[in-house]
Structures are given as C-alpha cells and as structure tokens.
Amino acid sequence: MAPSESSHFLIAADTGEQYTFQIDLDQNIQLASEVRHPNGKQLMSGHGRMLDWRSSRTTSGNFRVTLTNESDAAITYGVTTTRTLPTANQRKLDDLLAKFAAADISVKHAPSVQQPTIFDELYEREVAAQEILHFDFPHQRVDVYIFTDEQMALGATDTIERGANQLVRGSNSVALSISSGSIPLWWRDGPFLLYTTDPDVDLEQKLTSVLGDPLGAPTPASVNIRISNRTDNTLTNVRLWSDADEIVFAEILFGG
C-alpha cells in the first residue's frame, strides 16, 4: 500500500456472531484504521500499529474496514479475523459469570480463539467450546468447557478419570495438560465443565461456594490416593494394600 493510499475491504459477519479483528504491523509503520458496523455506524477509528477489536452482536451484513497508510513509504500488512464464541454460548457464559458476580467473586473472562478441545479429540467430533477465566486476575486460571446442553455435559463428565491425568471414552483416551504431581479438579454446572490444576485453597473454596463440591470429591473420613507412573516403561501388577484389602492394577502406562 503506497503512502496516503487506503485499502477498503469487507469481512463477512454471520448472523448473531462476534468477531475479533487484529492488524499487526511493523512498529515504525503509521496506520489509520476505521471499522463500521453493518448498519453503517462507526465502531472504531484511530491511529496505531495494532487494531484489536471485538464487535457487538450483529444481525446481518458485513463489517466495512478501511486502512490508510500514513507513513512515508509503501507498506505491506496482514489482517487476521477469528470468530469468538457464538452468541448462544456467550450468553450461557454470561449467566455463569453472573453467578460469581452475585457471590462477590472477582473473575475475568479472557476470550479465546476457538480451536478443537480435548473433548473434541476424545469424541472425534466437535462437542465443546473452551474459554478461560482468571480468578483474582491474573492469579489462577480456570478452563471452561461449554457444551450444547446439560445432558452432553453429563455424558462428558463420565469420561473424566477421577484424580488422574486423562479423559477416557471406550478405547480412546486423551491426556490432560498437567504438571507432574498436579491434582486436577473439575466442577460441573449445567452445560459447563470447569477445570483447574493445583488450585489454592482460596480458589477451591470460591468455586465450591458457587458450583458445589468438585467432581469426585472424597466422602467424609476417606482418603484419595493417586498412583502415577514416572518411569519410561509400563508397570504391571501394581498392588496396593490397605488393612485387609488389596487392589491390583494390571498395568499402568508411562505417564498414567
């Protein structure tokens, strides 16, 4: 794009969706930008090296974007557009956030680019969206998986291997991203599954106060024991004794 030249283009907007526009440029480039809603209303304009903007919900049409080169030389630029949560899921998430707000718990939603989730991998089809919450920002991260409805979330709950590091469905399994020794905790609330590892006591209490006990919470006067294979081999016939009881694990895979 030559000096003082402008580029005009449209970005298609599906009904009821939200979009993020991001324009990345070399730090020495001066660029003027303008974004208009499908109804013609100017949503954002100004100067800068990056435009990072999240639209209001749209009803029809395209976003009209204008870029103007205000530098002394010709420039090249790149534009990426990514879809954020569909409106239906965003409204579900807004309802969940409202529960924490009602309990006077501070939480910040960090919108995520939608990519395949661990549940999508497990089911081998798209079943859930993933968003990130920060409690006492930026202290602790909690991942939120949003399913179509409560029934789907209940089914996904059954795939969570309690106190372990993977999801299991039939012969298919997916490892969770946790550090060695971490204890993953899950909560379910309607169409949501919330997940965090090694939460401090304060965060666990906050989540429990709003969502109830975590999944797989131990019963009173019980002890949870997690066995992890940190060797390079598969362990076989691993025995665990407690008083007169004995449990035999036929095999524990590496990392299991």
Side-chain angles (χ1 to χ4, degrees):
M1 188 161 55
S4 300
E5 185 179 48
S6 295
S7 294
H8 309 270
F9 53 93
L10 301 178
I11 298 179
D14 294 335
T15 300
E17 302 290 353
Q18 292 186 339
Y19 283 77
T20 294
F21 302 96
Q22 183 167 304
I23 302 167
D24 292 303
L25 297 163
D26 181 272
Q27 63 180 1
N28 296 317
I29 292 174
Q30 292 299 315
L31 185 79
S33 58
E34 176 187 271
V35 179
R36 291 185 179 271
H37 192 274
N39 62 17
K41 178 183 178 182
Q42 182 171 289
L43 295 168
M44 188 173 187
S45 65
H47 302 77
R49 294 184 298 275
M50 178 182 293
L51 169 63
D52 192 356
W53 171 79
R54 185 173 176 176
S55 80
S56 59
R57 294 183 176 100
T58 65
T59 55
S60 63
N62 301 302
F63 293 103
R64 296 198 293 274
V65 182
T66 300
L67 302 177
T68 303
N69 178 11
E70 295 193 334
S71 64
D72 297 331
I75 64 171
T76 59
Y77 62 91
V79 178
T80 60
T81 62
T82 58
R83 189 185 71 178
T84 55
L85 277 180
T87 299
N89 280 348
Q90 183 63 56
R91 288 175 175 162
K92 290 178 189 176
L93 189 59
D94 289 344
D95 291 341
L96 177 65
L97 295 175
K99 292 184 179 182
F100 290 108
D104 200 27
I105 295 174
S106 175
V107 57
K108 181 178 177 62
H109 172 214
S112 304
V113 175
Q114 294 306 302
Q115 298 177 348
T117 70
I118 52 175
F119 288 100
D120 296 343
E121 183 179 349
L122 185 71
Y123 281 79
E124 298 180 331
R125 60 187 174 88
E126 185 176 338
V127 297
Q130 180 183 8
E131 290 292 300
I132 298 170
L133 303 181
H134 289 286
F135 287 77
D136 297 322
F137 185 80
H139 182 47
Q140 288 231 297
R141 165 177 167 162
V142 176
D143 291 83
V144 181
Y145 295 93
I146 308 173
F147 295 86
T148 305
D149 51 37
E150 183 173 357
Q151 193 63 35
M152 187 66 205
L154 279 168
T157 298
D158 293 336
T159 69
I160 301 170
E161 193 172 71
R162 300 292 190 267
N165 60 353
Q166 60 184 345
L167 307 176
V168 178
R169 182 172 181 259
S171 60
N172 193 13
S173 66
V174 178
L176 302 177
S177 178
I178 63 174
S179 59
S180 179
S182 294
I183 301 174
L185 286 182
W186 293 84
W187 283 262
R188 190 190 65 79
D189 184 75
F192 303 102
L193 282 174
L194 289 83
Y195 162 74
T196 188
T197 61
D198 265 352
D200 60 26
V201 174
D202 182 60
L203 175 60
E204 184 175 348
Q205 289 176 345
K206 286 178 178 178
L207 291 168
T208 298
S209 69
V210 173
L211 307 175
D213 290 333
L215 300 176
T219 56
S222 67
V223 176
N224 278 1
I225 298 175
R226 179 184 176 198
I227 298 176
S228 178
N229 178 6
R230 299 183 183 179
T231 72
D232 296 329
N233 305 302
T234 297
L235 302 179
T236 59
N237 296 320
V238 177
R239 286 176 163 77
L240 177 65
W241 287 275
S242 175
D243 294 332
D245 297 327
E246 178 184 4
I247 300 174
V248 179
F249 300 90
E251 64 177 22
I252 302 177
L253 301 177
F254 165 68

